[in-house]
Amino acid sequence: MRYEIDVFGVLVPSLLLWLLVSYALCAMLRPVFQRTGLYHLVWHRALFDLALFVCLLGGAVYLSSEFLP
């Protein structure tokens, strides 16, 4: 796994890319959870969103190290 990505001459840590991907996925899932009523089943919505974000970030980093050279 590459630890830095060259973006127009600026070296950006690859973790920043995975943070943005995870945030975008989390932002797309929030309205779905709200429409389906899943948030009525969780105790603390903000804590659930944070846990979801951390799980998505961990999955993205794991999959990037497994499938990307």
Side-chain angles (χ1 to χ4, degrees):
M1 181 172 130
R2 295 178 56 189
Y3 294 103
E4 293 176 341
I5 300 168
D6 185 15
V7 178
F8 301 112
V10 178
L11 293 176
V12 178
S14 61
L15 183 60
L16 179 63
L17 173 67
W18 301 125
L19 282 168
L20 293 175
V21 167
S22 299
Y23 181 75
L25 285 173
C26 202
M28 287 188 293
L29 286 174
R30 270 188 229 130
V32 172
F33 291 159
Q34 192 169 9
R35 276 189 229 122
T36 59
L38 181 72
Y39 281 135
H40 293 291
L41 301 174
V42 298
W43 172 67
H44 198 279
R45 181 178 173 173
L47 189 60
F48 180 80
D49 286 342
L50 177 66
L52 177 67
F53 175 74
V54 169
C55 289
L56 288 173
L57 178 62
V61 170
Y62 175 74
L63 290 175
S64 72
S65 65
E66 288 291 321
F67 295 113
L68 295 178

